[in-house]
Amino acid sequence: MINIEDFPIIAAARHSEDFLEALRSPCDIIFWLSPSIMTLKSDLAKARALPNGDDKKIFVHIDMADGIGKDSAGLEYLAYLGVDGIISTRGNLIKAAREKGLMTVQRFFILDSRSISTAFESIKSAHPDMIEIMPGLMTRQITYFADSTDIPVIAGGLIETKDDVISALSAGASAISTSKVELWFE
């Protein structure tokens, strides 16, 4: 498992420039949200070449990765390249990734009460290492998930200010995922 207690901000990089900035940030975890099969190997090499590069954990959002299959072969490729884990909304990919030794973050969009019960059904089936609740500003739902499971809860989506970070952490989130670069350095 990874340590999210010392620095609970996760850099969520959408573009190559953001990924490079995330590498320079004090964030221990980087969610690489939209990598390309054409550049992922060099992106990982850049991360590992930094003095603290082996300490940074790189999670690829397989659902949004360009050119990488959303299947067993895609997961094998990511493991071969040396990514630390994946992010997905799909329980079958979470299960398969865990079987390949990858860490997993299962992402849930909480839209209504039905999506909460569906999320818990999926958690029981897929057994992710961490879960990400979106949007991250829903503090009551974050508290509910944090109190109802022993899986670390990440608050993500719409986290734009330091007050948002504090509110989500106070509600029980173990970490925050944000694409706001300035929050990576807080």
Side-chain angles (χ1 to χ4, degrees), residues 169-180:
L169 291 172
S170 296
S174 298
I176 304 302
S177 165
T178 182
S179 60
K180 285 296 229 187

mmCIF file with all atom_site columns, all heavy atoms in Angstrom, residues 169-180:
data_model
loop_
_atom_site.group_PDB
_atom_site.id
_atom_site.type_symbol
_atom_site.label_atom_id
_atom_site.label_alt_id
_atom_site.label_comp_id
_atom_site.label_asym_id
_atom_site.label_entity_id
_atom_site.label_seq_id
_atom_site.pdbx_PDB_ins_code
_atom_site.Cartn_x
_atom_site.Cartn_y
_atom_site.Cartn_z
_atom_site.occupancy
_atom_site.B_iso_or_equiv
_atom_site.pdbx_formal_charge
_atom_site.auth_seq_id
_atom_site.auth_comp_id
_atom_site.auth_asym_id
_atom_site.auth_atom_id
_atom_site.pdbx_PDB_model_num
ATOM 1  N N   . LEU A 1 169 ? -10.995 16.611 3.501   1.00 0.00 ? 169 LEU A N   1
ATOM 2  C CA  . LEU A 1 169 ? -10.190 15.862 4.472   1.00 0.00 ? 169 LEU A CA  1
ATOM 3  C C   . LEU A 1 169 ? -10.908 15.787 5.818   1.00 0.00 ? 169 LEU A C   1
ATOM 4  O O   . LEU A 1 169 ? -10.901 14.747 6.477   1.00 0.00 ? 169 LEU A O   1
ATOM 5  C CB  . LEU A 1 169 ? -8.807  16.484 4.621   1.00 0.00 ? 169 LEU A CB  1
ATOM 6  C CG  . LEU A 1 169 ? -7.873  16.347 3.412   1.00 0.00 ? 169 LEU A CG  1
ATOM 7  C CD1 . LEU A 1 169 ? -6.603  17.166 3.620   1.00 0.00 ? 169 LEU A CD1 1
ATOM 8  C CD2 . LEU A 1 169 ? -7.543  14.891 3.120   1.00 0.00 ? 169 LEU A CD2 1
ATOM 9  N N   . SER A 1 170 ? -11.544 16.884 6.204   1.00 0.00 ? 170 SER A N   1
ATOM 10 C CA  . SER A 1 170 ? -12.283 16.907 7.469   1.00 0.00 ? 170 SER A CA  1
ATOM 11 C C   . SER A 1 170 ? -13.481 15.961 7.439   1.00 0.00 ? 170 SER A C   1
ATOM 12 O O   . SER A 1 170 ? -13.890 15.436 8.476   1.00 0.00 ? 170 SER A O   1
ATOM 13 C CB  . SER A 1 170 ? -12.760 18.323 7.785   1.00 0.00 ? 170 SER A CB  1
ATOM 14 O OG  . SER A 1 170 ? -11.667 19.177 7.988   1.00 0.00 ? 170 SER A OG  1
ATOM 15 N N   . ALA A 1 171 ? -14.020 15.739 6.241   1.00 0.00 ? 171 ALA A N   1
ATOM 16 C CA  . ALA A 1 171 ? -15.171 14.844 6.100   1.00 0.00 ? 171 ALA A CA  1
ATOM 17 C C   . ALA A 1 171 ? -14.766 13.379 6.137   1.00 0.00 ? 171 ALA A C   1
ATOM 18 O O   . ALA A 1 171 ? -15.623 12.502 6.182   1.00 0.00 ? 171 ALA A O   1
ATOM 19 C CB  . ALA A 1 171 ? -15.906 15.142 4.791   1.00 0.00 ? 171 ALA A CB  1
ATOM 20 N N   . GLY A 1 172 ? -13.467 13.118 6.107   1.00 0.00 ? 172 GLY A N   1
ATOM 21 C CA  . GLY A 1 172 ? -13.014 11.735 6.196   1.00 0.00 ? 172 GLY A CA  1
ATOM 22 C C   . GLY A 1 172 ? -12.224 11.231 5.005   1.00 0.00 ? 172 GLY A C   1
ATOM 23 O O   . GLY A 1 172 ? -11.793 10.074 5.007   1.00 0.00 ? 172 GLY A O   1
ATOM 24 N N   . ALA A 1 173 ? -12.047 12.052 3.986   1.00 0.00 ? 173 ALA A N   1
ATOM 25 C CA  . ALA A 1 173 ? -11.237 11.622 2.847   1.00 0.00 ? 173 ALA A CA  1
ATOM 26 C C   . ALA A 1 173 ? -9.799  11.394 3.302   1.00 0.00 ? 173 ALA A C   1
ATOM 27 O O   . ALA A 1 173 ? -9.278  12.146 4.124   1.00 0.00 ? 173 ALA A O   1
ATOM 28 C CB  . ALA A 1 173 ? -11.278 12.665 1.733   1.00 0.00 ? 173 ALA A CB  1
ATOM 29 N N   . SER A 1 174 ? -9.165  10.362 2.773   1.00 0.00 ? 174 SER A N   1
ATOM 30 C CA  . SER A 1 174 ? -7.764  10.090 3.077   1.00 0.00 ? 174 SER A CA  1
ATOM 31 C C   . SER A 1 174 ? -6.840  10.932 2.225   1.00 0.00 ? 174 SER A C   1
ATOM 32 O O   . SER A 1 174 ? -5.709  11.209 2.614   1.00 0.00 ? 174 SER A O   1
ATOM 33 C CB  . SER A 1 174 ? -7.452  8.613  2.828   1.00 0.00 ? 174 SER A CB  1
ATOM 34 O OG  . SER A 1 174 ? -8.224  7.799  3.661   1.00 0.00 ? 174 SER A OG  1
ATOM 35 N N   . ALA A 1 175 ? -7.328  11.311 1.043   1.00 0.00 ? 175 ALA A N   1
ATOM 36 C CA  . ALA A 1 175 ? -6.527  12.106 0.107   1.00 0.00 ? 175 ALA A CA  1
ATOM 37 C C   . ALA A 1 175 ? -7.452  12.870 -0.820  1.00 0.00 ? 175 ALA A C   1
ATOM 38 O O   . ALA A 1 175 ? -8.659  12.620 -0.870  1.00 0.00 ? 175 ALA A O   1
ATOM 39 C CB  . ALA A 1 175 ? -5.592  11.206 -0.702  1.00 0.00 ? 175 ALA A CB  1
ATOM 40 N N   . ILE A 1 176 ? -6.846  13.812 -1.559  1.00 0.00 ? 176 ILE A N   1
ATOM 41 C CA  . ILE A 1 176 ? -7.563  14.649 -2.506  1.00 0.00 ? 176 ILE A CA  1
ATOM 42 C C   . ILE A 1 176 ? -6.904  14.482 -3.874  1.00 0.00 ? 176 ILE A C   1
ATOM 43 O O   . ILE A 1 176 ? -5.688  14.536 -3.982  1.00 0.00 ? 176 ILE A O   1
ATOM 44 C CB  . ILE A 1 176 ? -7.453  16.143 -2.108  1.00 0.00 ? 176 ILE A CB  1
ATOM 45 C CG1 . ILE A 1 176 ? -7.960  16.370 -0.689  1.00 0.00 ? 176 ILE A CG1 1
ATOM 46 C CG2 . ILE A 1 176 ? -8.155  17.039 -3.113  1.00 0.00 ? 176 ILE A CG2 1
ATOM 47 C CD1 . ILE A 1 176 ? -9.364  15.955 -0.437  1.00 0.00 ? 176 ILE A CD1 1
ATOM 48 N N   . SER A 1 177 ? -7.713  14.323 -4.894  1.00 0.00 ? 177 SER A N   1
ATOM 49 C CA  . SER A 1 177 ? -7.226  14.299 -6.274  1.00 0.00 ? 177 SER A CA  1
ATOM 50 C C   . SER A 1 177 ? -7.684  15.592 -6.934  1.00 0.00 ? 177 SER A C   1
ATOM 51 O O   . SER A 1 177 ? -8.873  15.897 -6.939  1.00 0.00 ? 177 SER A O   1
ATOM 52 C CB  . SER A 1 177 ? -7.817  13.087 -7.000  1.00 0.00 ? 177 SER A CB  1
ATOM 53 O OG  . SER A 1 177 ? -7.663  13.206 -8.387  1.00 0.00 ? 177 SER A OG  1
ATOM 54 N N   . THR A 1 178 ? -6.727  16.365 -7.462  1.00 0.00 ? 178 THR A N   1
ATOM 55 C CA  . THR A 1 178 ? -7.095  17.636 -8.085  1.00 0.00 ? 178 THR A CA  1
ATOM 56 C C   . THR A 1 178 ? -6.195  17.944 -9.270  1.00 0.00 ? 178 THR A C   1
ATOM 57 O O   . THR A 1 178 ? -5.011  17.606 -9.259  1.00 0.00 ? 178 THR A O   1
ATOM 58 C CB  . THR A 1 178 ? -7.055  18.794 -7.065  1.00 0.00 ? 178 THR A CB  1
ATOM 59 O OG1 . THR A 1 178 ? -7.474  19.998 -7.716  1.00 0.00 ? 178 THR A OG1 1
ATOM 60 C CG2 . THR A 1 178 ? -5.681  18.983 -6.464  1.00 0.00 ? 178 THR A CG2 1
ATOM 61 N N   . SER A 1 179 ? -6.769  18.602 -10.260 1.00 0.00 ? 179 SER A N   1
ATOM 62 C CA  . SER A 1 179 ? -5.997  19.062 -11.408 1.00 0.00 ? 179 SER A CA  1
ATOM 63 C C   . SER A 1 179 ? -5.552  20.515 -11.239 1.00 0.00 ? 179 SER A C   1
ATOM 64 O O   . SER A 1 179 ? -4.884  21.051 -12.108 1.00 0.00 ? 179 SER A O   1
ATOM 65 C CB  . SER A 1 179 ? -6.807  18.892 -12.707 1.00 0.00 ? 179 SER A CB  1
ATOM 66 O OG  . SER A 1 179 ? -8.008  19.646 -12.619 1.00 0.00 ? 179 SER A OG  1
ATOM 67 N N   . LYS A 1 180 ? -5.881  21.124 -10.107 1.00 0.00 ? 180 LYS A N   1
ATOM 68 C CA  . LYS A 1 180 ? -5.456  22.491 -9.822  1.00 0.00 ? 180 LYS A CA  1
ATOM 69 C C   . LYS A 1 180 ? -3.993  22.482 -9.391  1.00 0.00 ? 180 LYS A C   1
ATOM 70 O O   . LYS A 1 180 ? -3.667  22.133 -8.254  1.00 0.00 ? 180 LYS A O   1
ATOM 71 C CB  . LYS A 1 180 ? -6.312  23.120 -8.716  1.00 0.00 ? 180 LYS A CB  1
ATOM 72 C CG  . LYS A 1 180 ? -7.677  23.517 -9.160  1.00 0.00 ? 180 LYS A CG  1
ATOM 73 C CD  . LYS A 1 180 ? -7.599  24.585 -10.200 1.00 0.00 ? 180 LYS A CD  1
ATOM 74 C CE  . LYS A 1 180 ? -8.507  25.720 -9.884  1.00 0.00 ? 180 LYS A CE  1
ATOM 75 N NZ  . LYS A 1 180 ? -8.586  26.686 -10.929 1.00 0.00 ? 180 LYS A NZ  1
#
